Amino acid sequence: MGSLYSFEKEKNYLVMTITGNYSYEDFIKYPKLIRNECLKEKMYKILVNVTPVIKTEIPLVELFFLGEHIANVLRDHIKLALLWDGEKHNRFLQKVASNRFALIRTFESDVHAKIWLMYDREDEPFIELKP
């Protein structure tokens, strides 16, 4: 079994929740689904929650290709906050995508993710709140 996804509409952004098992074949399709849903709803900020996904060790090369694909599909048109729990390579995906001009950031806390998502001053540094 691969992964499943669902979209919810919040006031100022969309939420995509992914569940099930990690599958590169599924995850490589998600950026286009995200873009299509954002265009359909005319909302260009999305919180993607992958914490329910059962992950094994994800190879760096897969994270690299996912990061490149996210950047190619979403570029700087859609702001994506990725909620990802404790995976040691999650920043690698963020670096690959953001180095290619994607507006993406990974978080372990949904509070921080939502604050960053709604923070519109990209030219100023975002300071995370410490719990």
Side-chain angles (χ1 to χ4, degrees):
M1 178 185 135
S3 58
L4 303 170
Y5 67 92
S6 64
F7 286 101
E8 295 176 35
K9 190 174 180 180
E10 295 291 329
K11 183 178 179 186
N12 297 315
Y13 59 92
L14 296 173
V15 176
M16 178 185 194
T17 304
I18 302 173
T19 59
N21 295 312
Y22 169 79
S23 163
Y24 178 76
E25 291 78 20
D26 290 344
F27 273 62
I28 201 72
K29 297 175 186 174
Y30 290 147
K32 286 184 181 177
L33 292 170
I34 290 168
R35 183 190 62 205
N36 292 342
E37 189 70 17
C38 287
L39 292 173
K40 183 179 93 175
E41 297 294 337
K42 294 184 173 64
M43 299 180 93
Y44 304 101
K45 296 179 181 183
I46 187 164
L47 172 69
V48 178
N49 183 356
V50 296
T51 56
V53 173
I54 299 166
K55 296 176 278 304
T56 56
E57 186 67 29
I58 301 172
L60 278 178
V61 70
E62 288 183 10
L63 291 172
F64 178 82
F65 288 133
L66 286 170
E68 276 198 327
H69 191 60
I70 288 168
N72 288 334
V73 174
L74 304 180
R75 280 289 175 218
D76 59 347
H77 305 296
I78 296 171
K79 189 173 185 180
L80 188 148
L82 182 62
L83 192 56
W84 192 332
D85 60 341
E87 178 69 35
K88 65 181 179 179
H89 298 306
N90 63 1
R91 298 283 181 195
F92 181 72
L93 172 78
Q94 173 187 312
K95 285 180 184 179
V96 170
S98 61
N99 283 343
R100 287 151 181 80
F101 304 108
L103 295 174
I104 183 174
R105 184 135 180 214
T106 56
F107 297 90
E108 292 184 19
S109 159
D110 65 334
V111 172
H112 293 146
K114 290 174 185 176
I115 291 170
W116 178 80
L117 200 58
M118 300 314 301
Y119 190 72
D120 286 328
R121 298 292 310 260
E122 294 302 324
D123 57 335
E124 294 179 5
F126 174 75
I127 301 170
E128 291 188 32
L129 304 171
K130 299 295 179 194

